[in-house]
C-alpha cells in the first residue's frame, strides 16, 4: 500500500528530472527569443535580450505552476510572444523612437498583457478562447513562423546589423561564411536529430552542433576566440552587475511617469498578445489532459499565466505561455506534479547565474538556426489540403489572408482580418444552407395514436390541410427571407401550419418578427399556427420559451398552439380532421365485440361465441398491462379507455412513448403471434376494460371452432398489415 511518504519519494525524483530536462529545452529557446526581440531595437541590446529570455523563463517557470492548476505544464517565453514584441520594436524603431523608450514600452506591453490575461481568467472567459476559429489560429501561427524565419535570416548569414531579410538574401557577397556554416550545422542537426534519437532534445543537439562547428572554425581564426567586439557570439551577460539592477529600477521610475494615453496605445497589442498566449497555454493544457486523462481549469491557469507574465516583464524578462515542446519533454522524463515546473524555473535561474560565462559563447547564428527550426515547425501545412475540395477553398482563403496580412501589415491586423473573414464565411454558410430540414403533410406522418381504419382513411383524405415544417440551424436575419419564401404559399392555403423547432440552434429578433407576421396572416384566415419542441435552453444559452413569449409569438392570447412534441401536435390535428370529441374514460360505454371496427361485417351469433371465450379484465390508470420482457402470450382488445406503449429506443434504457391505443383497438399481437418475449411495456393511461385472449385459449378455439379462429386471425392480420404499410410509408418519407 502506498503511503503519503512513499508517494512523495516516488514523485520528487520524477519532478526533478522532468524539470531538468525541460529546462535544457526551454532555456536555449528563451535566450533565442529574447535575442530576437531586443536585437530588433539595436545590435547593442542583444546581450540584454539573452538576459531577458533567461529572466522570463525563470519567472514564468516559478510563478505559473505555483499558482496554476495543471500538473506537468512548463511555461516559458514562446514564439508568438517573440514575434509580436519584435514586430512592435521594429515599428517603433522605424518611427524614430529612442532605444531606451522602446525597452520601457516593451516592459509595459508585457505587463499589460499579463493584466489582461488575469482579467480574462477572473471574468471566467477562459473557456471562450477555444471558440476562436482554427483557420485564424492556423494562419496566425504560420504567419508568426514566417516572421520569425525572416527575422533570423540576417543573423543566420552573418549580414550587417539593420539589413532586412530580403536584402540579405539578394546580397550573397555580404554573407559571412563562418555564420553560414555554424547556422547550417545547427539547422541540419536540429531537424535530423529526432529521426535518430529522442533521448536528447533536438534543440540541445542543435546548439551543441553549432558550438562544435564554431570551435572548429575558431582553430583557424583566432579572432573567434575572444568575446570583445565579436559579433558572432552573444557576449558577456553580466547578469549580477549593479548596472542591470540600476537599469531595472530606472525603468520602473520611468513607467511611473508614463501618461494614461501612452498606456492606452498599447492596449490593442497587449490584447492580441494576451489572447495568443492564452491560446498557446490552453492548447498545451488540452494535450496534457488527453495524455493523462485529467481536466485543467482554464480560468485558474490564465490567472496564473497572467501573474507570471506581469512579473516576468516587470523584472526585465519577456512574457510567454505554456509551451508544447518543453512540456512534452517534461512528461516523457517522468514528471508527476506542478513541482516539475517550479524546478524548471529555479534551474533556469541557477543556470543563468552560474553558466552566464558559457552562454556568452553561444554563436548568434546557432540561436538564429534554432529559431528558424522553431519557425518552420510552427508553419501549419494542413490547410493546403483545403484546396482539394471546393467546400473548403474559402477556409484556405482565410488562412492565406491571415498569413498575408501578418507579413505585410502586422499581427494585430492579421488576427482582426481573420476573425472578420471567419464571421463572414459563417454568415454565408448559414444563409446558403436551408433552414427547412423537411416539409411534410399530416397524411404523410402520423402521431403515436393508432386509429381505426375509417379514421385513417379520413386523415388520408384531409391531411393536406395541415403542413409540417421541421426547421434546423439558426433562424436569424440572414435566413429569414428564405424561410418566409417557403412559408408564404402554404400559409395562404393550409388550415394548420406546424413549425417543429427541435433542430433549431438559435432565433433572433428578425426571425421572431417574421413568425409573428405568419401567425397574424393565418389568424386572419381562421387558420392555426402551431409550434412543437420549443426548448427552454438553446445551444447558445437563450431560453427560447421566454424569448418567444417576450416577442409576442407565444403566451396567452397569442393564438399560437404550443406542443411538447411533434407527435402531440399531429395527434391534435388528427382529432380536428376526424371531428373526434375526446370523452373521459369514465363516461365511455364499454364496447361489445361486434361493435369493434376489427370485426365489422361479421355475424353477431358467430362473434357472440367468440366473445364468450374471452376474459374480461379491468386495469386502473397508471398500472401496467404487461412490462418489457414479460413472457405471457395474450392478445388485448380495448373495450374502454386508452393504453400507452412504452419502449427503449436505440439501446437506451429509458422508455419512450411510441404508440397509443384507444377504444376499439387491440395490442399485444406480436408476442401473441411469434411466441417471443414482450419488447415493450403497455401502461394504462386511463382506467381500461379489456377483452383478453391467451394463446392457450386460442389454441383451444382453433381446435373446436376453426371458423372463429380464422375470423380472429384474419382481422388481426389485416390491421397489422395496415399499420405496417403506413409505418413503411413514413420511414421511406423520413429517409428522403
Amino acid at each position: 500500500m502506498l503511503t503519503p511518504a512513499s508517494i512523495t519519494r516516488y514523485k520528487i525524483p520524477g519532478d526533478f528530472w522532468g524539470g531538468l530536462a525541460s529546462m535544457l529545452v526551454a532555456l536555449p529557446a528563451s535566450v533565442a527569443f529574447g535575442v530576437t526581440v531586443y536585437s530588433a531595437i539595436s545590435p547593442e541590446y542583444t546581450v540584454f535580450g539573452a538576459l531577458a529570455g533567461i529572466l522570463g523563463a525563470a519567472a514564468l517557470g516559478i510563478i505559473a505552476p505555483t499558482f496554476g492548476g495543471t500538473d506537468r505544464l512548463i511555461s516559458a517565453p514562446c514564439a508568438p510572444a517573440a514575434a509580436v514584441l519584435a514586430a512592435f520594436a521594429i515599428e517603433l524603431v522605424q518611427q524614430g523612437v529612442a532605444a531606451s523608450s522602446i525597452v520601457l514600452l516593451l516592459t509595459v506591453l508585457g505587463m499589460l498583457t499579463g493584466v489582461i490575461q488575469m482579467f480574462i481568467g477572473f471574468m471566467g472567459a477562459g473557456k471562450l478562447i477555444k471558440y476562436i476559429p482554427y483557420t485564424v489560429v492556423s494562419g496566425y501561427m504560420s504567419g508568426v513562423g514566417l516572421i520569425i524565419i525572416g527575422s533570423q535570416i540576417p543573423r543566420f548569414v552573418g549580414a550587417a546589423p539593420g539589413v532586412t531579410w530580403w536584402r540579405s538574401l539578394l546580397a550573397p557577397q555580404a554573407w559571412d561564411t563562418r555564420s553560414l556554416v555554424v547556422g547550417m550545422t545547427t539547422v541540419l542537426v536540429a531537424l535530423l536529430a529526432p529521426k535518430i534519437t529522442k533521448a536528447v532534445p533536438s534543440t540541445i543537439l542543435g546548439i551543441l552542433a553549432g558550438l562544435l562547428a564554431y570551435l572548429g572554425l575558431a582553430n583557424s581564426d583566432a579572432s573567434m576566440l575572444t568575446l570583445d567586439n565579436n559579433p558572432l557570439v552573444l557576449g558577456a551577460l553580466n547578469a549580477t552587475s549593479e548596472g542591470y539592477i540600476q537599469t531595472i529600477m530606472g525603468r520602473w521610475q520611468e513607467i511611473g511617469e508614463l501618461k494614461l494615453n501612452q498606456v492606452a496605445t498599447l492596449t490593442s497589442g497587449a490584447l492580441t498578445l494576451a489572447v495568443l498566449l492564452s491560446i498557446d497555454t490552453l492548447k498545451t493544457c488540452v494535450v496534457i489532459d488527453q495524455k493523462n486523462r485529467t481536466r485543467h481549469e482554464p480560468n485558474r491557469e490564465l490567472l496564473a499565466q497572467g501573474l507570471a507574465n506581469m512579473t516576468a516583464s516587470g523584472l526585465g524578462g519577456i512574457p510567454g505561455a505554456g509551451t508544447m515542446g518543453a512540456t512534452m519533454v517534461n512528461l516523457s522524463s517522468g514528471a508527476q506534479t506542478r513541482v516539475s515546473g517550479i524546478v524548471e524555473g529555479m534551474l533556469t535561474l541557477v543556470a543563468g547565474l552560474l553558466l552566464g560565462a558559457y552562454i556568452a559563447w553561444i554563436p548568434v547564428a546557432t540561436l538564429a538556426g534554432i529559431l528558424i527550426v522553431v519557425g518552420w515547425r510552427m508553419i501549419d501545412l494542413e490547410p493546403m489540403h483545403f484546396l482539394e475540395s471546393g467546400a473548403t477553398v474559402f477556409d484556405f482563403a482565410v488562412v492565406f489572408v491571415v498569413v498575408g496580412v501578418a507579413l505585410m501589415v502586422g499581427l494585430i491586423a492579421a488576427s482582426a482580418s481573420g476573425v472578420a473573414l471567419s464571421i463572414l464565411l459563417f454568415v454565408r454558410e448559414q444563409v446558403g444552407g436551408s433552414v427547412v430540414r423537411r416539409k411534410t403533410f399530416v397524411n404523410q406522418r402520423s402521431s403515436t395514436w393508432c386509429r381505426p381504419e375509417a379514421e385513417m382513411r379520413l386523415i388520408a383524405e384531409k391531411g393536406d390541410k395541415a403542413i409540417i415544417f421541421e426547421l434546423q440551424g439558426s433562424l436569424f436575419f440572414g435566413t429569414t427571407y428564405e424561410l418566409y419564401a417557403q412559408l408564404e404559399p402554404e400559409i395562404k392555403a393550409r388550415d394548420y401550419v406546424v413549425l417543429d423547432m427541435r433542430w433549431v440552434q438559435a432565433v433572433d429578433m428578425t426571425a421572431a418578427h417574421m413568425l409573428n407576421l405568419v401567425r397574424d396572416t393565418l389568424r386572419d384566415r381562421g387558420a392555426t399556427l402551431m409550434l412543437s419542441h420549443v426548448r427552454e435552453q438553446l445551444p447558445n444559452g437563450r431560453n427560447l420559451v421566454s424569448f418567444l413569449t417576450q416577442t409576442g409569438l407565444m403566451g396567452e392570447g397569442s393564438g399560437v398552439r404550443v406542443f411538447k412534441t411533434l407527435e402531440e401536435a399531429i395527434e391534435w390535428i388528427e382529432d380536428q380532421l376526424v371531428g373526434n370529441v375526446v370523452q373521459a374514460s369514465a363516461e365511455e360505454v364499454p364496447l361489445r365485440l361486434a361493435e369493434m371496427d376489427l370485426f365489422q361485417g361479421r355475424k353477431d351469433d358467430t362473434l357472440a361465441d367468440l366473445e364468450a371465450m374471452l376474459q374480461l379484465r379491468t386495469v386502473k390508470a397508471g398500472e401496467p398491462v404487461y412490462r418489457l420482457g414479460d413472457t405471457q402470450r395474450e392478445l388485448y382488445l380495448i373495450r374502454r379507455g386508452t393504453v400507452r406503449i412504452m419502449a427503449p429506443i436505440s439501446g437506451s434504457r429509458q422508455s419512450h412513448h411510441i404508440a397509443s391505443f384507444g377504444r376499439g383497438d387491440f395490442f399485444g399481437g406480436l408476442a401473441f403471434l411469434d411466441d417471443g418475449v414482450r419488447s415493450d411495456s403497455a401502461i394504462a393511461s386511463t382506467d381500461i376494460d379489456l377483452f383478453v385472449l391467451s394463446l392457450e385459449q386460442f389454441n383451444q378455439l382453433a381446435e373446436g371452432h376453426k371458423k372463429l379462429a380464422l375470423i380472429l386471425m384474419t382481422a388481426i392480420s389485416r390491421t397489422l398489415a395496415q399499420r405496417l404499410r403506413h409505418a413503411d410509408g413514413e420511414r421511406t418519407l423520413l429517409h428522403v
Side-chain angles (χ1 to χ4, degrees), residues 50 73 100 102 139-140 233 268 271 277 350 387 397 399 446 451 454 500 523 537 555 565 573 588 654 661 669 673 715:
L73 176 67
S100 59
I102 295 176
Y140 199 103
V233 295
S268 60
L271 180 60
L277 298 183
V350 171
L387 292 172
V399 177
S446 67
R451 296 180 180 275
D500 184 63
R523 188 165 53 186
Q537 198 75 17
T565 64
I573 295 175
E588 290 179 343
Q654 183 178 0
F661 296 96
L673 293 175

mmCIF file of all heavy atoms in Angstrom, residues 50 73 100 102 139-140 233 268 271 277 350 387 397 399 446 451 454 500 523 537 555 565 573 588 654 661 669 673 715:
data_model
loop_
_atom_site.group_PDB
_atom_site.id
_atom_site.type_symbol
_atom_site.label_atom_id
_atom_site.label_comp_id
_atom_site.label_asym_id
_atom_site.label_seq_id
_atom_site.Cartn_x
_atom_site.Cartn_y
_atom_site.Cartn_z
ATOM 1 N N ALA A 50 19.311 38.295 -24.363
ATOM 2 C CA ALA A 50 19.615 36.984 -23.788
ATOM 3 C C ALA A 50 19.238 36.956 -22.311
ATOM 4 O O ALA A 50 18.648 35.978 -21.822
ATOM 5 C CB ALA A 50 21.092 36.675 -23.975
ATOM 6 N N LEU A 73 2.766 21.112 -16.590
ATOM 7 C CA LEU A 73 2.826 22.163 -17.609
ATOM 8 C C LEU A 73 4.078 23.010 -17.398
ATOM 9 O O LEU A 73 4.356 23.449 -16.291
ATOM 10 C CB LEU A 73 1.578 23.048 -17.519
ATOM 11 C CG LEU A 73 1.527 24.256 -18.470
ATOM 12 C CD1 LEU A 73 1.414 23.795 -19.918
ATOM 13 C CD2 LEU A 73 0.373 25.174 -18.102
ATOM 14 N N SER A 100 15.984 53.395 -25.497
ATOM 15 C CA SER A 100 15.602 53.239 -24.093
ATOM 16 C C SER A 100 14.093 53.309 -23.918
ATOM 17 O O SER A 100 13.516 52.602 -23.089
ATOM 18 C CB SER A 100 16.288 54.310 -23.243
ATOM 19 O OG SER A 100 15.914 55.615 -23.712
ATOM 20 N N ILE A 102 11.913 52.360 -26.190
ATOM 21 C CA ILE A 102 11.356 51.119 -26.727
ATOM 22 C C ILE A 102 11.403 50.022 -25.675
ATOM 23 O O ILE A 102 10.443 49.259 -25.491
ATOM 24 C CB ILE A 102 12.115 50.691 -28.000
ATOM 25 C CG1 ILE A 102 11.911 51.723 -29.104
ATOM 26 C CG2 ILE A 102 11.644 49.315 -28.463
ATOM 27 C CD1 ILE A 102 12.700 51.433 -30.366
ATOM 28 N N GLY A 139 -3.528 30.251 -39.515
ATOM 29 C CA GLY A 139 -2.898 31.316 -40.287
ATOM 30 C C GLY A 139 -1.999 32.191 -39.440
ATOM 31 O O GLY A 139 -0.913 32.589 -39.880
ATOM 32 N N TYR A 140 -2.450 32.473 -38.223
ATOM 33 C CA TYR A 140 -1.665 33.323 -37.335
ATOM 34 C C TYR A 140 -0.348 32.640 -36.968
ATOM 35 O O TYR A 140 0.725 33.258 -37.035
ATOM 36 C CB TYR A 140 -2.464 33.638 -36.074
ATOM 37 C CG TYR A 140 -1.941 34.832 -35.327
ATOM 38 C CD1 TYR A 140 -2.578 36.058 -35.392
ATOM 39 C CD2 TYR A 140 -0.782 34.750 -34.561
ATOM 40 C CE1 TYR A 140 -2.092 37.169 -34.708
ATOM 41 C CE2 TYR A 140 -0.289 35.840 -33.887
ATOM 42 C CZ TYR A 140 -0.948 37.046 -33.959
ATOM 43 O OH TYR A 140 -0.455 38.135 -33.288
ATOM 44 N N VAL A 233 29.137 35.926 -31.524
ATOM 45 C CA VAL A 233 28.618 35.298 -30.310
ATOM 46 C C VAL A 233 27.811 36.314 -29.509
ATOM 47 O O VAL A 233 27.849 37.516 -29.790
ATOM 48 C CB VAL A 233 29.774 34.738 -29.437
ATOM 49 C CG1 VAL A 233 30.506 33.618 -30.150
ATOM 50 C CG2 VAL A 233 30.740 35.857 -29.054
ATOM 51 N N SER A 268 -4.298 47.506 -27.680
ATOM 52 C CA SER A 268 -4.637 46.569 -28.749
ATOM 53 C C SER A 268 -3.563 45.504 -28.916
ATOM 54 O O SER A 268 -3.864 44.320 -29.080
ATOM 55 C CB SER A 268 -4.843 47.320 -30.068
ATOM 56 O OG SER A 268 -3.654 48.006 -30.440
ATOM 57 N N LEU A 271 -3.774 43.156 -25.944
ATOM 58 C CA LEU A 271 -4.936 42.267 -26.047
ATOM 59 C C LEU A 271 -4.660 41.126 -27.018
ATOM 60 O O LEU A 271 -4.964 39.958 -26.730
ATOM 61 C CB LEU A 271 -6.157 43.068 -26.503
ATOM 62 C CG LEU A 271 -7.463 42.273 -26.671
ATOM 63 C CD1 LEU A 271 -7.873 41.636 -25.362
ATOM 64 C CD2 LEU A 271 -8.566 43.182 -27.196
ATOM 65 N N LEU A 277 -1.183 34.146 -26.271
ATOM 66 C CA LEU A 277 -0.510 33.386 -25.217
ATOM 67 C C LEU A 277 -1.509 32.503 -24.472
ATOM 68 O O LEU A 277 -1.163 31.395 -24.043
ATOM 69 C CB LEU A 277 0.179 34.345 -24.245
ATOM 70 C CG LEU A 277 1.291 35.222 -24.852
ATOM 71 C CD1 LEU A 277 1.950 36.065 -23.769
ATOM 72 C CD2 LEU A 277 2.330 34.369 -25.552
ATOM 73 N N VAL A 350 19.294 29.372 -11.861
ATOM 74 C CA VAL A 350 20.642 28.944 -11.446
ATOM 75 C C VAL A 350 21.570 28.877 -12.655
ATOM 76 O O VAL A 350 22.716 29.331 -12.609
ATOM 77 C CB VAL A 350 20.556 27.572 -10.744
ATOM 78 C CG1 VAL A 350 21.958 27.018 -10.510
ATOM 79 C CG2 VAL A 350 19.808 27.695 -9.422
ATOM 80 N N LEU A 387 -7.448 22.979 -50.344
ATOM 81 C CA LEU A 387 -7.558 23.270 -51.773
ATOM 82 C C LEU A 387 -8.071 22.068 -52.564
ATOM 83 O O LEU A 387 -8.423 22.198 -53.738
ATOM 84 C CB LEU A 387 -6.189 23.696 -52.319
ATOM 85 C CG LEU A 387 -5.657 25.048 -51.814
ATOM 86 C CD1 LEU A 387 -4.224 25.255 -52.277
ATOM 87 C CD2 LEU A 387 -6.542 26.183 -52.296
ATOM 88 N N ALA A 397 -8.714 30.331 -47.974
ATOM 89 C CA ALA A 397 -8.570 31.767 -48.233
ATOM 90 C C ALA A 397 -8.400 32.543 -46.938
ATOM 91 O O ALA A 397 -7.627 33.506 -46.879
ATOM 92 C CB ALA A 397 -9.784 32.278 -49.013
ATOM 93 N N VAL A 399 -7.021 31.415 -44.137
ATOM 94 C CA VAL A 399 -5.646 31.163 -43.685
ATOM 95 C C VAL A 399 -4.669 32.002 -44.498
ATOM 96 O O VAL A 399 -3.749 32.642 -43.947
ATOM 97 C CB VAL A 399 -5.309 29.662 -43.816
ATOM 98 C CG1 VAL A 399 -3.856 29.413 -43.409
ATOM 99 C CG2 VAL A 399 -6.245 28.824 -42.954
ATOM 100 N N SER A 446 -47.802 10.415 -38.957
ATOM 101 C CA SER A 446 -48.864 10.044 -38.020
ATOM 102 C C SER A 446 -48.379 10.285 -36.609
ATOM 103 O O SER A 446 -47.179 10.330 -36.344
ATOM 104 C CB SER A 446 -49.273 8.579 -38.191
ATOM 105 O OG SER A 446 -48.220 7.715 -37.810
ATOM 106 N N ARG A 451 -55.094 4.685 -34.897
ATOM 107 C CA ARG A 451 -56.506 4.965 -35.099
ATOM 108 C C ARG A 451 -57.171 3.864 -35.921
ATOM 109 O O ARG A 451 -56.512 3.153 -36.690
ATOM 110 C CB ARG A 451 -56.670 6.315 -35.801
ATOM 111 C CG ARG A 451 -56.169 7.482 -34.967
ATOM 112 C CD ARG A 451 -56.335 8.802 -35.684
ATOM 113 N NE ARG A 451 -55.849 9.907 -34.856
ATOM 114 C CZ ARG A 451 -56.559 10.521 -33.922
ATOM 115 N NH1 ARG A 451 -57.821 10.149 -33.714
ATOM 116 N NH2 ARG A 451 -56.057 11.503 -33.198
ATOM 117 N N ALA A 454 -61.242 3.508 -40.492
ATOM 118 C CA ALA A 454 -62.098 4.569 -41.036
ATOM 119 C C ALA A 454 -61.508 5.941 -40.764
ATOM 120 O O ALA A 454 -61.533 6.824 -41.636
ATOM 121 C CB ALA A 454 -63.497 4.455 -40.424
ATOM 122 N N ASP A 500 -41.805 22.788 -36.364
ATOM 123 C CA ASP A 500 -41.117 21.968 -35.366
ATOM 124 C C ASP A 500 -39.723 22.551 -35.132
ATOM 125 O O ASP A 500 -38.923 22.665 -36.061
ATOM 126 C CB ASP A 500 -41.002 20.522 -35.853
ATOM 127 C CG ASP A 500 -40.377 19.620 -34.800
ATOM 128 O OD1 ASP A 500 -40.976 19.455 -33.727
ATOM 129 O OD2 ASP A 500 -39.268 19.106 -35.049
ATOM 130 N N ARG A 523 -54.108 33.706 -38.688
ATOM 131 C CA ARG A 523 -55.242 34.017 -37.823
ATOM 132 C C ARG A 523 -56.317 34.776 -38.585
ATOM 133 O O ARG A 523 -57.516 34.561 -38.371
ATOM 134 C CB ARG A 523 -54.762 34.813 -36.613
ATOM 135 C CG ARG A 523 -55.837 35.023 -35.553
ATOM 136 C CD ARG A 523 -55.216 35.488 -34.246
ATOM 137 N NE ARG A 523 -54.361 36.652 -34.420
ATOM 138 C CZ ARG A 523 -53.612 37.175 -33.442
ATOM 139 N NH1 ARG A 523 -53.617 36.612 -32.243
ATOM 140 N NH2 ARG A 523 -52.872 38.237 -33.669
ATOM 141 N N GLN A 537 -33.876 25.826 -23.347
ATOM 142 C CA GLN A 537 -32.453 26.141 -23.408
ATOM 143 C C GLN A 537 -31.907 25.779 -24.782
ATOM 144 O O GLN A 537 -31.837 24.612 -25.143
ATOM 145 C CB GLN A 537 -31.680 25.381 -22.325
ATOM 146 C CG GLN A 537 -30.305 25.954 -22.027
ATOM 147 C CD GLN A 537 -30.380 27.244 -21.221
ATOM 148 O OE1 GLN A 537 -31.396 27.542 -20.629
ATOM 149 N NE2 GLN A 537 -29.311 28.010 -21.215
ATOM 150 N N GLY A 555 -47.749 32.672 -25.640
ATOM 151 C CA GLY A 555 -48.374 33.225 -24.452
ATOM 152 C C GLY A 555 -49.871 33.361 -24.612
ATOM 153 O O GLY A 555 -50.448 33.105 -25.683
ATOM 154 N N THR A 565 -44.144 17.881 -28.148
ATOM 155 C CA THR A 565 -43.510 17.106 -29.207
ATOM 156 C C THR A 565 -44.303 17.271 -30.505
ATOM 157 O O THR A 565 -45.467 17.681 -30.512
ATOM 158 C CB THR A 565 -43.443 15.611 -28.857
ATOM 159 O OG1 THR A 565 -44.790 15.091 -28.764
ATOM 160 C CG2 THR A 565 -42.724 15.391 -27.534
ATOM 161 N N ILE A 573 -54.106 17.669 -34.507
ATOM 162 C CA ILE A 573 -54.639 17.943 -35.841
ATOM 163 C C ILE A 573 -55.502 16.786 -36.317
ATOM 164 O O ILE A 573 -56.576 16.995 -36.909
ATOM 165 C CB ILE A 573 -53.480 18.204 -36.828
ATOM 166 C CG1 ILE A 573 -52.728 19.486 -36.451
ATOM 167 C CG2 ILE A 573 -54.010 18.305 -38.257
ATOM 168 C CD1 ILE A 573 -51.500 19.741 -37.291
ATOM 169 N N GLU A 588 -67.223 6.641 -21.063
ATOM 170 C CA GLU A 588 -67.305 5.733 -22.202
ATOM 171 C C GLU A 588 -68.104 4.475 -21.827
ATOM 172 O O GLU A 588 -68.011 3.969 -20.697
ATOM 173 C CB GLU A 588 -65.906 5.319 -22.667
ATOM 174 C CG GLU A 588 -65.110 6.426 -23.321
ATOM 175 C CD GLU A 588 -63.722 5.958 -23.744
ATOM 176 O OE1 GLU A 588 -63.268 4.899 -23.243
ATOM 177 O OE2 GLU A 588 -63.111 6.643 -24.561
ATOM 178 N N GLN A 654 -33.890 4.152 -21.082
ATOM 179 C CA GLN A 654 -35.059 4.971 -20.807
ATOM 180 C C GLN A 654 -36.154 4.663 -21.815
ATOM 181 O O GLN A 654 -35.930 4.602 -23.018
ATOM 182 C CB GLN A 654 -34.693 6.450 -20.877
ATOM 183 C CG GLN A 654 -35.839 7.387 -20.521
ATOM 184 C CD GLN A 654 -35.413 8.832 -20.558
ATOM 185 O OE1 GLN A 654 -34.259 9.127 -20.844
ATOM 186 N NE2 GLN A 654 -36.326 9.733 -20.276
ATOM 187 N N PHE A 661 -53.157 3.401 -27.956
ATOM 188 C CA PHE A 661 -54.315 2.666 -28.474
ATOM 189 C C PHE A 661 -55.537 3.054 -27.664
ATOM 190 O O PHE A 661 -55.464 3.202 -26.437
ATOM 191 C CB PHE A 661 -54.091 1.157 -28.405
ATOM 192 C CG PHE A 661 -52.959 0.674 -29.270
ATOM 193 C CD1 PHE A 661 -51.687 0.480 -28.742
ATOM 194 C CD2 PHE A 661 -53.168 0.422 -30.615
ATOM 195 C CE1 PHE A 661 -50.645 0.034 -29.533
ATOM 196 C CE2 PHE A 661 -52.128 -0.021 -31.422
ATOM 197 C CZ PHE A 661 -50.860 -0.207 -30.882
ATOM 198 N N GLY A 669 -50.163 -7.993 -30.126
ATOM 199 C CA GLY A 669 -50.261 -9.030 -31.144
ATOM 200 C C GLY A 669 -48.951 -9.679 -31.518
ATOM 201 O O GLY A 669 -48.935 -10.856 -31.896
ATOM 202 N N LEU A 673 -48.275 -13.657 -31.617
ATOM 203 C CA LEU A 673 -48.095 -14.389 -32.860
ATOM 204 C C LEU A 673 -46.758 -15.107 -32.950
ATOM 205 O O LEU A 673 -46.680 -16.225 -33.472
ATOM 206 C CB LEU A 673 -48.228 -13.429 -34.053
ATOM 207 C CG LEU A 673 -49.627 -12.827 -34.291
ATOM 208 C CD1 LEU A 673 -49.570 -11.814 -35.405
ATOM 209 C CD2 LEU A 673 -50.634 -13.928 -34.606
ATOM 210 N N ALA A 715 -58.762 -10.809 -39.039
ATOM 211 C CA ALA A 715 -58.947 -9.435 -38.573
ATOM 212 C C ALA A 715 -57.646 -8.866 -38.029
ATOM 213 O O ALA A 715 -57.275 -7.709 -38.324
ATOM 214 C CB ALA A 715 -60.030 -9.400 -37.503
#
